[in-house]
Amino acid sequence: MTDKQDVVAISDSLVVSIPKEEPQENTPNPVKKETTKPVTKENKKPVITDLWQRISAQLSFTIEPNERLEKRINWYLSQPNYLVSVSKRAKPYLYHIVQEVERRRLPMELALLPFVESDFRPKVTSSQHAVGAWQLVNSTAYHFGITTDQWYDGRKDVLASTDAALDYLSYLYKRFNGNWLHALAAYNSGEGRVKSAIKRNKRRGKSTHFWHLSLPKETADYVPKLIALSYLLQTEHPKFKRPKLPNYALTSPLDIGQQFDFSILASLTGIEKAQLHKLNPGYLRHKSSPNGPHTVLLPLTEQALYKSDFYHRYFSQTYVVQKNDTLYRLAKRFNTTVKAVKLLNNKANDMIRVGEVLKVSQAQAFDSLLVDYEISPYVAQVQLPKPLTMEFHHTVSEGDSLWKISKHYKVSVKDLLVWNKLKNNQVLKPGKVLVLHLPKGNETPKQPEENVFLSDLEQLVKPETRSNR
């Protein structure tokens, strides 16, 4: 050990080296520069296969030993299985949170906040009416784009609330001039309260460092709890058990694109209704709101989702490769990723050839995903007379699909297939004339302009999940 460092023992077997210079609480530890070496078997970095290892490797807050921090460390050490237990609740969501924290280039400590805030309980409500894993109050959630109504509470939706919480934390970080500990304190007790504590210390000539601020006990304990958890993970303390999770997403978000009933979705996917509800606690009823959102988290890996019969049948269509097409261009065109196209087509490389038939992500029409709970099955069915119809011809334009045409003319895809003797996955060629039988009215329906009525459902699946929002 050099003479430039002091050794401070926090508690039994807890030792950390602290530089003599004033600690910088608001920035991650500086990255050490390493000399460039040729990659060999000896110095090649191992592939990280464990998610908690990935998290621990990126924790970067500077540790300043003090009595409050030691108290929180000892609390964790008295419950060595704490993180293993709570990690079971976090398992379906944690990989997505880590991905989003990395995408935003934020400190990895923020991925630990749901553990500190709620012990990762998506449905919990505090005495102050903060809700969900990130413990957002309604006003903050609303300000950062979260929907809360009789159908859906986005604060209980772990992925949606992650976006809002990270937006809020990023805002606080800027408001407190790049000081993460002040930002975290404000997240817990409010921006005004932390600003008042800072002003009060300035007037008295005291340090405005977090550890010197006079804050409510809950906040005073809250930040040390996060730093203590970060410390124990960084140091891999032998008395504190670190969980194990695979370093890939165990769940996949999918935008259904229209109002759905959980019973029908369970039937289509083969996933138990109870499991769908448990993974998606933001939905408060047996079906989604008519106005959305309609995104569900499925207990499938990305690879399993793209290989499932459910996805191939309802969320993909065939596409014939044209001249100058590349996987990158196709991914951009269909609002997906190269990785997704390759998984969907079981491709090991990026090579495609003109005339090759590929599967691409694009929603097909659902006739109905709802159960009418208002109609009694015992009520006799009244046979209504069939409405008068007229034959109408639609000329297929570039970019048309059965789904787009069905939406424009308000007919079902099933009827289009029957009327024109088409197959469900058939690609429509420009110039082809389709026959439609439309309700007879006073006006002749207009032929849609080319590429004008793009459906929202055309851009459903975003396999990289939150990173594409």
Side-chain angles (χ1 to χ4, degrees):
M1 183 176 298
T2 66
D3 56 3
K4 292 184 179 180
Q5 292 180 326
D6 293 333
V7 176
V8 182
I10 299 182
S11 61
D12 289 345
S13 71
L14 293 178
V15 178
V16 62
S17 297
I18 303 296
K20 284 188 175 180
E21 292 81 19
E22 181 71 18
Q24 300 295 315
E25 59 158 325
N26 58 341
T27 57
N29 288 329
V31 179
K32 296 179 181 179
K33 293 183 179 179
E34 298 180 357
T35 56
T36 303
K37 295 180 181 179
V39 178
T40 63
K41 289 183 178 179
E42 288 73 23
N43 64 20
K44 186 178 180 180
K45 291 184 179 180
V47 176
I48 294 179
T49 58
D50 180 78
L51 183 59
W52 277 105
Q53 183 186 0
R54 175 178 171 181
I55 292 170
S56 300
Q58 297 183 72
L59 296 172
S60 55
F61 277 3
T62 301
I63 309 298
E64 181 186 358
N66 59 64
E67 186 177 342
R68 275 192 283 166
L69 181 57
E70 180 181 352
K71 181 180 178 181
R72 298 313 306 178
I73 290 173
N74 288 334
W75 181 88
Y76 280 121
L77 291 178
S78 69
Q79 303 181 71
N81 293 311
Y82 164 82
L83 203 57
V84 174
S85 176
V86 178
S87 182
K88 293 176 183 177
R89 289 195 289 271
K91 187 177 180 179
Y93 316 102
L94 189 56
Y95 180 89
H96 299 295
I97 294 174
V98 171
Q99 285 277 86
E100 185 61 17
V101 169
E102 289 178 341
R103 186 188 72 80
R104 294 173 181 241
R105 300 179 182 273
L106 297 172
M108 189 51 67
E109 275 80 0
L110 301 190
L112 302 177
L113 264 187
F115 295 88
V116 174
E117 281 284 356
S118 65
D119 293 333
F120 223 111
R121 290 175 291 172
K123 292 184 178 181
V124 71
T125 300
S126 74
S127 59
Q128 302 301 315
H129 306 292
V131 176
W134 291 91
Q135 288 290 277
L136 294 170
V137 295
N138 196 34
S139 58
T140 302
Y142 176 81
H143 182 81
F144 288 97
I146 289 292
T147 300
T148 302
D149 56 29
Q150 60 179 327
W151 298 85
Y152 171 82
D153 189 342
R155 296 173 298 174
K156 295 180 181 180
D157 182 327
V158 177
L159 300 192
S161 61
T162 294
D163 270 355
L166 294 181
D167 284 344
Y168 184 32
L169 285 161
S170 298
Y171 158 80
L172 291 172
Y173 178 67
K174 292 177 181 177
R175 292 289 288 172
F176 287 96
N177 302 315
N179 188 309
W180 272 116
L181 297 197
H182 287 168
L184 288 164
Y187 183 90
N188 179 257
S189 65
E191 185 178 342
R193 185 169 285 151
V194 177
K195 282 185 175 179
S196 296
I198 292 172
K199 288 180 181 178
R200 186 163 53 248
N201 276 24
K202 283 183 176 179
R203 285 197 307 267
R204 297 174 180 176
K206 293 183 177 181
S207 171
T208 58
H209 195 284
F210 166 79
W211 300 107
H212 298 281
L213 297 180
S214 177
L215 294 168
K217 185 178 186 304
E218 180 187 342
T219 307
D221 290 340
Y222 169 83
V223 175
K225 188 176 180 181
L226 177 68
I227 297 176
L229 186 56
S230 172
Y231 173 78
L232 291 171
L233 286 169
Q234 285 186 58
T235 56
E236 299 184 31
H237 193 276
K239 293 183 180 179
F240 188 69
K241 294 181 180 179
R242 188 173 76 183
K244 291 185 179 297
L245 284 177
N247 189 27
Y248 54 82
L250 299 172
T251 56
S252 299
L254 179 66
D255 188 346
I256 303 302
Q258 66 185 77
Q259 190 179 22
F260 67 89
D261 186 285
F262 274 90
S263 296
I264 295 181
L265 187 61
S267 176
L268 291 173
T269 60
I271 299 166
E272 290 185 3
K273 180 182 174 182
Q275 189 175 11
L276 290 174
H277 274 297
K278 185 176 181 180
L279 275 177
N280 298 276
Y283 292 103
L284 308 180
R285 296 188 171 194
H286 50 73
K287 56 187 175 183
S288 63
S289 166
N291 301 318
H294 305 304
T295 298
V296 291
L297 198 62
L298 300 176
L300 301 170
T301 63
E302 189 179 49
Q303 186 173 10
L305 176 63
Y306 289 132
K307 288 186 176 182
S308 67
D309 292 337
F310 162 74
Y311 190 87
H312 278 262
R313 183 174 180 181
Y314 295 108
F315 289 93
S316 71
Q317 70 172 35
T318 55
Y319 174 83
V320 180
V321 176
Q322 307 295 314
K323 185 179 179 182
N324 297 324
D325 276 345
T326 64
L327 284 184
Y328 174 78
R329 288 176 180 172
L330 290 179
K332 191 173 181 181
R333 175 176 174 180
F334 290 98
N335 197 31
T336 182
T337 64
V338 171
K339 179 183 177 184
V341 178
K342 290 170 71 174
L343 284 173
L344 199 52
N345 293 277
N346 199 26
K347 276 188 166 292
N349 56 51
D350 295 349
M351 298 295 294
I352 57 175
R353 64 181 186 278
V354 174
E356 182 179 358
V357 179
L358 295 177
K359 286 269 190 177
V360 291
S361 296
Q362 190 172 46
Q364 303 301 314
F366 294 93
D367 285 338
S368 177
L369 286 176
L370 300 177
V371 174
D372 193 342
Y373 292 93
E374 306 303 321
I375 299 177
S376 169
Y378 302 103
V379 176
Q381 298 296 311
V382 179
Q383 198 72 20
L384 297 175
K386 293 184 178 181
L388 296 175
T389 61
M390 64 178 181
E391 186 173 295
F392 180 75
H393 295 157
H394 170 87
T395 303
V396 175
S397 300
E398 184 70 34
D400 271 359
S401 69
L402 290 172
W403 170 249
K404 293 177 192 174
I405 296 169
S406 73
K407 292 294 286 183
H408 179 76
Y409 293 108
K410 298 180 181 178
V411 298
S412 71
V413 171
K414 183 178 180 181
D415 283 340
L416 286 175
L417 296 173
V418 172
W419 293 335
N420 295 279
K421 298 180 181 179
L422 300 173
K423 294 181 179 178
N424 188 41
N425 59 357
Q426 187 166 334
V427 176
L428 300 179
K429 295 182 179 180
K432 181 178 178 62
V433 177
L434 298 181
V435 175
L436 294 88
H437 297 279
L438 305 177
K440 192 171 184 179
N442 296 325
E443 297 183 5
T444 302
K446 294 179 180 179
Q447 179 90 3
E449 294 180 18
E450 210 171 310
N451 294 327
V452 168
F453 59 101
L454 289 178
S455 166
D456 290 338
L457 286 178
E458 185 181 12
Q459 304 189 20
L460 276 182
V461 183
K462 300 180 180 180
E464 296 302 327
T465 68
R466 319 298 283 192
S467 62
N468 285 333
R469 288 190 171 188

